[in-house]
Amino acid sequence: MSSPYYQEDVVAYRSLSTIKGLEWRHLKKKCRVLRLETACSRLREMAMISNVGRIMWHIELLMIIHIILILSLARDVVLVSLLPYFVVMVFTPFIMIGSMQDDVSSTMHKVISWLMASFLTFMDIFSDLLGALHRGAAYPIVPNYDHVVLLCIYMALPIAFFKVYSAYVLGFLVSLAYFCFVFYMQYRNDQVSFALLVSYAIYLFILNLIFSFFTVLRDYGLRRSILSRYQLVYQNIVYKTVMKKEKALLESILPRRMVRTLQEEICNRIEDQDKSIAPLMSTSRKLFLEPYPEVTILVADMVNYTHLTTTLEAPQLVEILHDLFVNFDLAANRNRAMRIKFLGDAYNCVAGIPNYFPAHASCCVDQALEMIQITQDISGRRSLAINLRIGVHSGEVFAGIIGHTKWQFDTWSKDVDITNHLETTGMPGLVHVSQRTLSMLDEHYVYMDGTEKARNDPILQKAGIRTYLVSSRLPDTVEPGELDNDYSNASVSSYRFSYTGSYEEIQIKAQREMMKEVEQMTVGNCFLYCKRNRSSKQKAASEEYMFNKRIHLIPGVFRRWKTEWAFHNQPDLMMKYTLLVMFCAGLAILTINWIENANYFDLYVMLGILLLLLILCFLAVFKKLRRQCKRLTPMSQPSFFLSRWLLRISERIEDSLFVRVPLTVLVLLLLYVMSSLAVFSCDVAKLELGIIDAHLHNEKSYAECFGPWTVTYSVVIVLSLLFIILGCPLLIKMTVGLLILGLHLGTIHLYYGFAFERSETTDLNLKADYAHTWYLVAFFIILVLRERHINYLKKASYFMRVCYEETHKQTDDKLRSIKIIMANILPSHVAEVYKVRRPNDQLYSETFSKVAVMFASIENFNADTAGLRILHEIICCFDDLLVNYQMRYKIEKIKVMGWTYMAACGLEADHYADFSIDIPVKRPEADSEARRSADCAFW
């Protein structure tokens, strides 16, 4: 079973580009393996509902413009012929209303799609038939919205979002209906042309092919969006799980407030380090200390400890100490005391940290009495002569950490030294307290005068400390207050974490979260959502609102050009397939022109362009073809230089925007040249004479060198390719599309208008040249509206991924800061032991056979005159020295106890030291400022 903290990024470029099969099938398999099909279905349903609303107003818009166009341009308008357009406007909402509901079955959606496609097809055909019947004479007419109806079937109607083969069947039947209509109109006019029929059939076939590939791209994008969001949700859960475990363990060692202070400082340093260009050479010497003016300190030492070390085996002695200290920690929890440290047989704790409370002296004395009782109980149970000598004093302390590595929370002050002397001059089984501490206690304690040894102690005499011995507490005591929420003092030994963090649990949680995330995903600010709960609406609206603030809605570009650049600079793994479809479109254009009896020169030119497209396709798909034979890795590149160059070119087509965009523009323009080459090479004078002669003899008035509608159909094929280009910015695609549209409209109305005026029309109320124009413009309007919507969705998905990644970056910095702190407190392998579920208070120990231990004490050090800053500097220098002793025999810092520095050699330091986790240093100016503030606080 794989680790719960690792999950392959299945949508990353490097992951998808290494698979052998088709990318969309790979994503489908991943969704099935990760049990995300329900999420995919839900997002598909949301997108479908959004598209229902859009296709309704798109159709209404086209009908309104069409009616206005006829009324503006036609002289003798046949009003009856406008009836089908009004019928479409009125009945389209009634037909599509059923697909606006969330609880409609897929069968009902398919029925609505079939009904809508049939309705649009019938109205389009019927309008032409109605006009022809009203005229009472035969007239050459071609369909007006065949391309738009096919586009709706594959891109907008609900059937396109379910099983794809249903859309294929519907698209085929609609194409067949249009083909039969064209055949009927030619037959009715006695102008049946095999070439025109075959050309029209190829046109319908290639449109079905291009729009079918769009459904593949849509499914690819939808699954990639789902998997990408799942990846982010999964990582978020893992981050929270790991952070919760790390933070809980850390707060069992250090006070929560100190953890926050350290974490904020290290996060700031990480952020500064990430922003810096040059390496930072200064050394961190910031002092992490906080003053506590009113606390009570407890110092306990075990009597006869030296005798125990000589009579008991080390494992047995460790077990006894573990039993004692675990119970001491539990008692500290009850008495609101914080354990500071323990060393050998010594145990120190403080009451009043991290938050002040008035009863700190009583709590600390209660802790001391309970510790004595615990020691006596364990001593009797184990038949050992164990007792405690305890000193308690109230005063002020500085609490925090010093040094550069291997931190330990500790306290320093003159009052701490006084407490140590109280302990050494005390009596076993009694609590040796100062007069100040006694004055803060109530009348429930039994006490007597202090020891003679304390009265003769020079340090206590100098401080004017009078001492007392507390033996017990009377019954009916006042219970201490509730534990503070901002306080954590459980020992490492008693620390337990209930969450197992197994892969299955994280995956199940991620799948549940994913269903909530799907409801929030942007589908295009459609107001037509029905029966969605209010919270889901608010969440989706908030996500969409947040995205809308980062984008210019009209042009559809990010407000920050860096984000826009990063979005477009993403690799396009589908580019190779897009080029293949473009090659098929070029092949269809060549076939249409060949059927239309184009001259040989034009055919040779088209064949040359098609050969160039084939070469480009081979270059784009070379990487994929090679991967089918042999798996590519950075260490197994092709040995032959030509193969390496081909592979590099193939990767650049996918990776580089500067290669992909010019290539796309070039291919589109070459295809446009292929579609219009027969027009450009046609002799205008000869063309006009031929048309005039045919008109005088009442014969077929088609141009001899090209068919006007054949050229228009070819241009529509080129424009339709804009739908399937993913890796090109919208502005460039629309510019190229507008350029192609403008060139062809110029061809229709300026240079070759004589030929287009005498071709078939789509509407008896429109002249043929205007019919060509509206046929193209209507398609381009839908193209612009659809592409803008698709661009909006892609950018919304990208924006949310960036937001998640920024959140993960912040979380990762926090997690890194926790790991840095943890690495400087516990050995990494010991920390890992306590981050998993362990039995209650289970002892953890290690045995080393050959160890050398060093105690280095700083003599003649007066904290009152020198200040803790000097001690901190000395300890940091000692820490830095250890870096020079990390060769064969590594010396490890153990801890600092007061003014004593402890180190050891022979602890299998590979387990203990992790110098890859280092503390980021601050900038020199920030560090100097920190020094000045620390000096002001602690000198």
Side-chain angles (χ1 to χ4, degrees):
M1 182 64 65
S2 60
S3 170
Y5 311 129
Y6 169 77
Q7 178 73 5
E8 176 195 7
D9 193 351
V10 296
V11 297
Y13 165 67
R14 293 301 173 190
S15 175
L16 276 176
S17 63
T18 57
I19 65 171
K20 287 187 175 183
L22 299 174
E23 285 79 0
W24 56 89
R25 290 187 178 178
H26 173 74
L27 296 184
K28 185 176 182 179
K29 180 180 178 182
K30 280 293 181 181
C31 287
R32 187 168 58 251
V33 170
L34 296 174
R35 297 191 288 273
L36 296 175
E37 288 297 333
T38 304
C40 290
S41 299
R42 178 55 186 158
L43 182 60
R44 194 178 290 113
E45 182 181 3
M46 292 166 56
M48 178 200 67
I49 295 175
S50 175
N51 273 275
V52 167
R54 293 182 178 279
I55 192 58
M56 284 171 53
W57 81 265
H58 289 173
I59 293 174
E60 299 288 321
L61 177 65
L62 290 183
M63 296 300 104
I64 292 173
I65 297 176
H66 194 161
I67 293 172
I68 295 174
L69 188 66
I70 292 175
L71 294 176
S72 302
L73 299 178
R75 294 182 178 179
D76 300 323
V77 179
V78 181
L79 296 179
V80 178
S81 62
L82 298 180
L83 182 62
Y85 305 122
F86 284 105
V87 171
V88 170
M89 291 177 60
V90 172
F91 284 94
T92 293
F94 289 99
I95 296 175
M96 299 301 297
I97 192 69
S99 291
M100 298 180 190
Q101 308 296 324
D102 274 346
D103 54 354
V104 178
S105 65
S106 59
T107 303
M108 188 62 185
H109 285 305
K110 293 177 183 178
V111 170
I112 292 173
S113 299
W114 278 79
L115 183 61
M116 189 65 198
S118 303
F119 174 68
L120 291 176
T121 304
F122 176 76
M123 287 295 105
D124 187 22
I125 294 174
F126 180 70
S127 63
D128 292 339
L129 292 175
L130 189 63
L133 292 174
H134 182 78
R135 294 276 184 174
Y139 200 87
I141 297 179
V142 295
N144 194 7
Y145 291 108
D146 48 356
H147 53 338
V148 174
V149 175
L150 288 176
L151 186 148
C152 292
I153 291 173
Y154 289 100
M155 297 188 186
L157 292 180
I159 197 171
F161 296 86
F162 294 98
K163 295 295 183 181
V164 182
Y165 66 82
S166 301
Y168 295 161
V169 174
L170 182 56
F172 170 77
L173 293 178
V174 168
S175 300
L176 182 61
Y178 276 114
F179 180 82
C180 293
F181 168 72
V182 171
F183 174 76
Y184 170 76
M185 294 306 297
Q186 289 187 3
Y187 177 78
R188 177 184 174 88
N189 290 277
D190 295 325
Q191 294 180 354
V192 176
S193 171
F194 174 78
L196 289 178
L197 288 174
V198 174
S199 298
Y200 186 67
I202 294 174
Y203 167 68
L204 294 176
F205 171 78
I206 200 65
L207 282 185
N208 278 271
L209 177 64
I210 293 172
F211 296 154
S212 298
F213 182 65
F214 175 84
T215 63
V216 173
L217 294 179
R218 181 178 54 207
D219 188 68
Y220 166 81
L222 182 143
R223 292 184 183 277
R224 190 167 186 177
S225 180
I226 286 289
L227 287 168
S228 177
R229 184 65 70 94
Y230 173 79
Q231 178 74 24
L232 298 170
V233 170
Y234 183 93
Q235 289 175 352
N236 192 43
I237 294 174
V238 170
Y239 271 129
K240 288 182 179 179
T241 302
V242 175
M243 182 175 289
K244 185 177 181 181
K245 295 164 73 175
E246 298 270 2
K247 193 172 182 180
L249 178 56
L250 189 57
E251 290 178 355
S252 71
I253 305 172
L254 296 179
R256 185 173 298 173
R257 186 183 299 173
M258 179 57 63
V259 172
R260 292 173 181 170
T261 302
L262 284 172
Q263 193 173 350
E264 290 175 1
E265 175 67 19
I266 293 178
C267 283
N268 291 334
R269 295 186 190 182
I270 292 173
E271 184 177 355
D272 289 344
Q273 193 177 59
D274 291 340
K275 292 179 180 178
S276 64
I277 299 176
L280 302 172
M281 301 303 295
S282 66
T283 304
S284 175
R285 290 288 188 264
K286 184 171 181 179
L287 196 56
F288 297 98
L289 291 178
E290 292 181 337
Y292 293 93
E294 194 66 40
V295 297
T296 300
I297 310 147
L298 181 153
V299 176
D301 196 23
M302 189 180 298
V303 181
N304 296 329
Y305 179 72
T306 305
H307 174 71
L308 292 177
T309 58
T310 58
T311 57
L312 297 177
E313 296 292 333
Q316 187 179 3
L317 179 62
V318 170
E319 184 180 349
I320 293 172
L321 292 176
H322 173 74
D323 195 5
L324 283 170
F325 291 159
V326 164
N327 284 280
F328 290 171
D329 286 341
L330 295 175
N333 250 346
R334 293 189 293 270
N335 294 298
R336 301 183 68 181
M338 171 180 282
R339 189 254 290 155
I340 301 299
K341 60 185 174 182
F342 54 84
L343 178 62
D345 61 332
Y347 186 92
N348 293 15
C349 63
V350 176
I353 293 179
N355 294 323
Y356 169 80
F357 58 95
H360 58 83
S362 298
C363 288
C364 208
V365 173
D366 290 343
Q367 169 71 10
L369 293 173
E370 192 167 350
M371 288 171 62
I372 293 172
Q373 184 62 45
I374 290 170
T375 305
Q376 292 173 352
D377 292 342
I378 293 178
S379 175
R381 190 169 64 248
R382 292 179 177 269
S383 301
L384 296 172
I386 307 176
N387 210 336
L388 286 183
R389 191 171 52 243
I390 301 179
V392 176
H393 174 60
S394 299
E396 63 177 359
V397 298
F398 287 106
I401 58 176
I402 62 173
H404 189 59
T405 60
K406 297 298 176 68
W407 294 320
Q408 182 188 15
F409 188 73
D410 207 344
T411 56
W412 296 267
S413 71
K414 180 176 65 175
D415 291 315
V416 173
D417 295 337
I418 290 173
T419 310
N420 284 318
H421 283 267
L422 285 173
E423 179 270 316
T424 56
T425 59
M427 291 183 61
L430 299 175
V431 183
H432 199 193
V433 301
S434 65
Q435 185 176 9
R436 184 178 183 188
T437 299
L438 185 67
S439 66
M440 301 174 70
L441 301 178
D442 51 40
E443 67 277 7
H444 291 88
Y445 293 91
V446 177
Y447 60 91
M448 64 187 76
D449 288 337
T451 63
E452 184 68 25
K453 189 175 180 180
R455 288 190 288 271
N456 296 328
D457 186 275
I459 301 297
L460 297 179
Q461 285 181 351
K462 181 179 178 180
I465 301 296
R466 186 177 179 182
T467 66
Y468 300 88
L469 293 170
V470 177
S471 59
S472 63
R473 178 171 181 158
L474 298 176
D476 301 325
T477 60
V478 179
E479 294 294 330
E482 296 294 329
L483 291 175
D484 194 275
N485 289 331
D486 191 35
Y487 160 72
S488 175
N489 68 330
S491 68
V492 178
S493 301
S494 62
Y495 167 79
R496 298 184 305 279
F497 192 77
S498 60
Y499 188 76
T500 60
S502 66
Y503 173 79
E504 291 83 1
E505 291 180 3
I506 293 179
Q507 190 179 36
I508 292 172
K509 189 173 182 180
Q511 290 163 357
R512 291 174 180 172
E513 288 294 322
M514 193 59 213
M515 293 306 300
K516 299 177 183 178
E517 288 290 321
V518 169
E519 297 294 333
Q520 303 177 32
M521 295 178 72
T522 303
V523 290
N525 65 5
C526 182
F527 59 89
L528 294 172
Y529 283 102
C530 302
K531 297 185 178 180
R532 293 182 64 188
N533 60 72
R534 181 173 298 179
S535 61
S536 297
K537 278 186 177 181
Q538 292 174 349
K539 291 177 181 178
S542 63
E543 182 172 306
E544 195 160 334
Y545 174 75
M546 183 171 59
F547 169 64
N548 289 340
K549 290 177 64 177
R550 303 298 194 280
I551 195 173
H552 295 287
L553 289 177
I554 295 178
V557 297
F558 284 107
R559 296 182 183 272
R560 295 183 60 204
W561 68 269
K562 290 184 178 180
T563 308
E564 183 74 16
W565 168 253
F567 169 76
H568 291 301
N569 206 35
Q570 298 177 97
D572 181 11
L573 298 180
M574 305 301 286
M575 186 64 186
K576 50 185 172 291
Y577 305 112
T578 301
L579 286 175
L580 287 174
V581 176
M582 287 180 168
F583 172 77
C584 294
L587 185 61
I589 294 173
L590 175 65
T591 306
I592 290 173
N593 280 271
W594 175 72
I595 294 173
E596 289 287 330
N597 296 317
N599 61 66
Y600 288 107
F601 176 78
D602 293 345
L603 291 176
Y604 288 146
V605 173
M606 292 182 190
L607 192 60
I609 294 175
L610 196 64
L611 182 60
L612 177 60
L613 294 180
L614 182 61
I615 294 173
L616 294 176
C617 289
F618 173 75
L619 292 175
V621 83
F622 177 80
K623 179 181 177 181
K624 193 72 175 179
L625 293 175
R626 183 173 177 82
R627 194 167 301 282
Q628 306 306 310
C629 305
K630 185 178 181 180
R631 183 176 180 83
L632 290 176
T633 65
M635 302 301 294
S636 63
Q637 294 296 314
S639 57
F640 187 47
F641 79 95
L642 182 59
S643 297
R644 287 199 303 272
W645 276 102
L646 292 174
L647 180 62
R648 187 172 301 177
I649 293 172
S650 183
E651 290 177 341
R652 293 289 289 175
I653 291 174
E654 286 184 351
D655 297 347
S656 177
L657 183 68
F658 294 106
V659 174
R660 192 167 60 241
V661 171
L663 181 62
T664 301
V665 174
L666 174 64
V667 171
L668 288 173
L669 293 179
L670 288 176
L671 289 173
Y672 171 72
V673 170
M674 289 182 64
S675 64
S676 300
L677 186 60
V679 179
F680 299 149
S681 63
C682 184
D683 187 341
V684 179
K686 185 178 179 180
L687 171 69
E688 292 179 352
L689 289 175
I691 294 176
I692 293 173
D693 184 66
H695 184 70
L696 292 174
H697 293 83
N698 197 22
E699 295 177 353
K700 181 179 176 181
S701 61
Y702 291 118
E704 294 183 0
C705 49
F706 68 90
W709 276 105
T710 301
V711 177
T712 298
Y713 289 153
S714 298
V715 174
V716 170
I717 292 174
V718 179
L719 291 177
S720 66
L721 294 173
L722 293 171
F723 283 109
I724 63 172
I725 299 172
L726 300 181
C728 186
L730 175 64
L731 182 61
I732 295 178
K733 286 200 293 184
M734 293 301 100
T735 302
V736 175
L738 193 61
L739 175 63
I740 294 173
L741 178 65
L743 290 174
H744 190 62
L745 292 183
T747 301
I748 293 174
H749 293 281
L750 299 177
Y751 200 59
Y752 293 97
F754 199 72
F756 284 92
E757 286 176 0
R758 286 159 177 77
S759 64
E760 300 92 335
T761 185
T762 59
D763 194 308
L764 294 180
N765 295 305
L766 283 178
K767 293 171 59 177
D769 52 347
Y770 290 118
H772 282 272
T773 301
W774 175 239
Y775 190 85
L776 287 167
V777 170
F779 187 75
F780 191 74
I781 290 174
I782 299 297
L783 171 66
V784 172
L785 294 176
R786 293 294 303 171
E787 279 297 297
R788 184 181 178 278
H789 176 62
I790 294 169
N791 179 71
Y792 178 88
L793 295 182
K794 290 194 296 184
K795 287 190 173 180
S797 178
Y798 173 78
F799 172 74
M800 292 312 302
R801 182 178 180 90
V802 170
C803 290
Y804 265 93
E805 288 175 349
E806 289 177 355
T807 303
H808 287 174
K809 175 64 169 58
Q810 296 172 0
T811 307
D812 190 54
D813 288 345
K814 292 180 182 179
L815 186 58
R816 182 182 169 192
S817 67
I818 292 176
K819 287 184 177 293
I820 290 173
I821 299 171
M822 184 63 67
N824 284 278
I825 296 177
L826 283 180
S828 58
H829 72 293
V830 177
E832 290 300 323
V833 170
Y834 284 96
K835 282 187 289 185
V836 298
R837 183 180 295 173
R838 291 170 52 79
N840 187 19
D841 302 326
Q842 179 181 348
L843 171 64
Y844 176 83
S845 63
E846 293 179 306
T847 303
F848 302 99
S849 58
K850 297 179 180 180
V851 178
V853 181
M854 179 196 75
F855 286 69
S857 297
I858 303 173
E859 296 293 337
N860 302 321
F861 184 84
N862 191 333
D864 295 335
T865 59
L868 288 175
R869 163 64 67 182
I870 301 300
L871 176 64
H872 177 60
E873 292 287 340
I874 294 173
I875 299 300
C876 285
C877 290
F878 291 171
D879 292 342
D880 293 337
L881 281 176
L882 293 184
V883 179
N884 301 323
Y885 295 91
Q886 302 301 323
M887 305 303 291
R888 181 178 179 184
Y889 300 104
K890 298 181 181 180
I891 301 177
E892 291 299 316
K893 176 183 177 182
I894 302 301
K895 64 176 65 177
V896 175
M897 189 76 170
W899 322 118
T900 302
Y901 188 90
M902 298 176 56
C905 181
L907 295 178
E908 298 181 9
D910 289 339
H911 294 282
Y912 283 81
D914 185 2
F915 289 96
S916 63
I917 305 177
D918 200 4
I919 306 171
V921 294
K922 292 182 72 69
R923 299 178 184 275
E925 61 272 14
D927 191 56
S928 61
E929 183 179 347
R931 289 192 187 191
R932 287 194 298 271
S933 62
D935 289 340
C936 293
F938 300 115
W939 272 84

